[in-house]
């Protein structure tokens, strides 16, 4: 759908939704996305029945093409709504979509701020945010893990089978993916699968898990975190999975001595997590999940390389995005290196 | 043999063009992809410089783990043979042979070298870990 047509349909949708006299869409632009999943930003100037005008900064999340296996926009909407109601800083949902756009969609409010991690790590204006970020993220994560899943109808999220421990189920899932897609052998991953299997935590604890909790998915300002984004990998699982993932070295952007996103120590993150009502943190267990996080990121990199190789020279993605996808294949070695270091410690 | 400029000299020109003309004069996704492109050129330049030496080193490492074998002629045949022997190594790891003992230590040492070689090409900065 071209922007003109999208703008017209959005206007009609918002007019009905707000019972408005008129609606104008301004500054519509594509933020991210390819052919199947898109995120658009725009301002809606709404004139209500009494002639009062107000401007709503909004974001459209839409699926021009069905993407099987990925979280539906309806579930994502429900998840953001639940998180917001439970005190997690997220963009406030504005409206669930209907058939107005001819594709699944929802609208949420646009949160202003910065998302580029290097700015947070280097720029003077974020000094205060940098100092408080690790503790803030720890406290927010505790809130995410305390979201009552059933009360919000979130039991539709992917979950490990009832009779399996989440760690084992997740490891199986990623090993199957690895075996199905890898174009090349990776002995470091073979060692890691065995190493992790010998250390599987038996805990059957289950909570909402964000699934991609890291510094690159935070909107922040000079004062600190404003919203947690990218909930598409959320699932039911073991809460320590998120605590391991947040420390994967690939999200430290060169500040290797500060494992939590290059801004803080594990200990300050864990203290804030526990103080905000998170379960007591067992460092050995988090170490399992951090190793798993490296393996998982490595397998995701293989997936991106594979997608590039499968679509070489064709496909609907612009060439620049294809090149980016292909180049991610050369990041697999970073995760192998981290896994070897972890395994050498015993 | 080709005339000058060499492939490395040509790639250096592409790299500078991307870094100094495309990136500063683009915005958003194009600027970002300009950076990615320049980085891809750097990866390729490092790989062309090191590939021969790295393949020979990896072959010698596999000889040490799996027993000596005759090294195939030609770079492409050598790459295929290394992949096949690495798959053999994976099979032995899956069978539990590298779970402990001297074979585990030897496998870890071999992989440290092989992965280090990959990083020297893809992202040398990864090897310089900052520690407090």
């Amino acid at each position: 759908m071209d922007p003109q047509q999208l703008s017209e349909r959005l206007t009609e949708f918002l007019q009905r939704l707000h019972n408005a006299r008129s609606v104008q869409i301004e500054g519509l632009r594509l933020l991210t996305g390819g052919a199947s999943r898109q995120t658009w930003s725009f301002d809606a100037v709404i004139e209500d029945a009494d002639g009062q005008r107000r401007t709503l900064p909004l974001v459209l999340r839409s699926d021009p093409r069905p993407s099987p296996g990925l979280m539906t926009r309806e579930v994502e909407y429900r998840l953001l709504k639940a998180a917001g109601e439970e005190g997690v800083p997220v963009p406030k949902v504005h409206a669930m979509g209907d058939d107005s756009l001819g594709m699944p969609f929802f609208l949420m409010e646009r949160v202003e701020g910065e998302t580029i991690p290097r700015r947070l790590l280097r720029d003077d204006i974020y000094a205060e945010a940098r100092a408080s970020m690790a503790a803030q993220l720890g406290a927010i994560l505790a809130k995410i893990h305390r979201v009552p899943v059933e009360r919000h109808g979130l039991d539709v999220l992917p979950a490990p089978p009832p009779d399996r421990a989440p760690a084992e189920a997740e490891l199986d899932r990623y090993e199957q993916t690895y075996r199905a897609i890898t174009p090349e052998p990776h002995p470091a991953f073979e060692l890691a699968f065995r190493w992790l299997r010998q250390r599987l935590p038996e805990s059957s604890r289950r909570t909402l898990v964000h699934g991609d909790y890291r510094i690159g998915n935070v909107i922040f300002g000079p004062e600190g975190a404003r919203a947690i984004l990218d909930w598409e990998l959320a699932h039911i699982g073991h809460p320590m999975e998120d605590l391991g993932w947040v420390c994967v070295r690939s999200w430290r952007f060169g500040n290797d001595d500060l494992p939590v996103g290059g801004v803080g120590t594990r200990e300050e993150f864990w203290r804030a997590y526990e103080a905000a009502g998170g379960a007591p943190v067992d460092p050995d267990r988090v170490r399992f999940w951090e190793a798993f996080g490296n393996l998982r990121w490595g397998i995701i990199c293989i997936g991106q390389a594979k997608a590039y190789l499968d679509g070489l020279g064709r496909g609907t993605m612009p060439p620049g995005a294809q090149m980016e996808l292909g180049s991610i294949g050369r990041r697999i070695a970073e995760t192998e290196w981290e896994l070897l270091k972890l395994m050498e410690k015993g | 043999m080709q005339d000058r400029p060499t492939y490395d000299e040509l790639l250096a020109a592409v790299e500078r063009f991307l870094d100094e003309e495309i990136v500063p004069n683009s915005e958003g996704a194009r600027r970002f992809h300009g950076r990615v492109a320049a980085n891809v050129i750097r990866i390729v330049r490092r790989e062309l410089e090191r590939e021969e030496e790295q393949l020979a080193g990896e072959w010698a490492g596999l000889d040490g783990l799996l027993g000596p074998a005759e090294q195939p002629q030609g770079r492409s045949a050598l790459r295929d043979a290394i992949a096949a022997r690495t798959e053999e190594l994976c099979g032995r790891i899956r069978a539990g042979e590298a779970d402990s003992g001297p074979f585990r230590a030897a496998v870890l040492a071999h992989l440290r070298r092989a992965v280090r070689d990959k990083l020297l090409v893809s992202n040398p900065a990864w090897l310089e870990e900052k520690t407090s």
Side-chain angles (χ1 to χ4, degrees), chain A residues 163-239:
Chain A
D163 56 336
R164 308 280 304 282
E168 192 187 7
E170 281 290 280
L171 193 58
D172 285 352
R173 195 158 72 87
Y174 277 91
E175 185 167 350
Q176 277 165 17
T177 305
Y178 168 76
R179 304 229 175 273
I181 65 170
T182 188
E184 291 164 317
H186 291 276
F189 292 167
E190 298 285 357
L191 284 174
F193 283 124
R194 294 188 70 82
W195 189 87
L196 287 164
R197 279 200 193 285
Q198 287 155 8
R199 287 161 180 78
L200 278 177
E202 280 170 22
S203 168
S204 58
R205 249 185 90 78
R206 279 157 200 254
T207 65
L208 173 64
V209 170
H210 180 280
D212 199 8
Y213 200 71
R214 59 185 165 92
I215 207 86
N217 285 333
V218 179
I219 299 186
F220 56 88
E223 79 294 352
R226 291 180 180 168
I228 305 298
L229 302 175
D230 288 295
W231 290 76
E232 288 165 77
L233 296 174
H235 56 273
I236 306 303
H238 199 282

Side-chain angles (χ1 to χ4, degrees), chain B residues 15-34:
Chain B
E15 186 183 322
R16 278 194 66 193
F17 168 68
L18 290 164
D19 279 334
E20 293 172 27
E21 274 189 50
I22 298 300
V23 172
N25 294 307
S26 324
E27 284 176 30
R30 177 148 308 151
R31 186 184 172 92
F32 173 66
H33 288 139

Side-chain angles (χ1 to χ4, degrees), chain B residues 47-48 53 59 62 85 94 103 108 111 118 124 128 132:
Chain B
E47 181 163 344
L48 288 168
E53 165 214 332
W59 186 264
L62 288 163
R85 295 185 91 191
R94 282 195 295 272
F103 190 62
L108 282 171
L111 293 179
K118 291 201 268 188
E128 295 153 23
S132 45

Side-chain angles (χ1 to χ4, degrees), chain A residues 224-252:
Chain A
R226 291 180 180 168
I228 305 298
L229 302 175
D230 288 295
W231 290 76
E232 288 165 77
L233 296 174
H235 56 273
I236 306 303
H238 199 282
M240 295 301 133
E241 184 183 335
D242 281 332
L243 279 86
W245 186 247
V246 79
C247 289
V248 168
R249 186 174 162 205
S250 304
W251 338 130
R252 294 180 205 166

Side-chain angles (χ1 to χ4, degrees), chain A residues 28-213:
Chain A
L28 180 67
R29 66 193 178 102
L30 185 64
L31 291 180
T32 58
S36 55
R37 316 209 94 191
Q38 294 180 341
T39 303
W40 297 77
S41 164
F42 63 96
D43 289 327
V45 183
I46 295 175
E47 187 185 1
D48 67 19
D50 306 326
Q52 299 270 39
R53 285 164 73 99
R54 61 198 168 111
T55 302
L56 298 175
L58 294 174
V59 164
L60 164 71
R61 304 264 289 165
S62 61
D63 277 3
R65 242 183 251 176
S67 354
L70 298 184
M71 180 181 285
T72 65
R73 293 302 189 193
E74 200 267 327
V75 170
E76 189 185 348
Y77 173 89
R78 213 189 289 180
L79 186 54
L80 279 174
K81 186 163 182 290
E85 285 171 8
E86 299 295 337
V88 179
V90 283
K92 192 163 184 273
V93 290
H94 185 67
M96 183 57 216
D98 54 16
D99 51 10
S100 300
L101 303 188
M103 59 183 170
F105 74 100
F106 71 87
L107 296 175
M108 62 188 195
E109 292 180 6
R110 186 172 71 238
V111 177
E112 302 298 343
E114 185 56 76
T115 56
I116 299 173
R118 283 182 194 280
R119 302 234 164 103
L120 175 69
L121 269 56
R122 314 271 189 263
D123 291 3
D124 288 345
I125 97 159
Y126 298 115
E128 195 188 315
R130 201 152 52 228
S132 59
M133 185 63 73
Q136 247 187 316
L137 291 183
I140 294 169
L141 188 58
K143 282 189 184 162
I144 293 174
H145 293 164
R146 286 164 63 97
V147 169
V149 169
E150 279 172 31
R151 190 191 304 163
H152 292 283
L154 296 176
D155 29 13
V156 296
L157 289 170
D163 56 336
R164 308 280 304 282
E168 192 187 7
E170 281 290 280
L171 193 58
D172 285 352
R173 195 158 72 87
Y174 277 91
E175 185 167 350
Q176 277 165 17
T177 305
Y178 168 76
R179 304 229 175 273
I181 65 170
T182 188
E184 291 164 317
H186 291 276
F189 292 167
E190 298 285 357
L191 284 174
F193 283 124
R194 294 188 70 82
W195 189 87
L196 287 164
R197 279 200 193 285
Q198 287 155 8
R199 287 161 180 78
L200 278 177
E202 280 170 22
S203 168
S204 58
R205 249 185 90 78
R206 279 157 200 254
T207 65
L208 173 64
V209 170
H210 180 280
D212 199 8
Y213 200 71

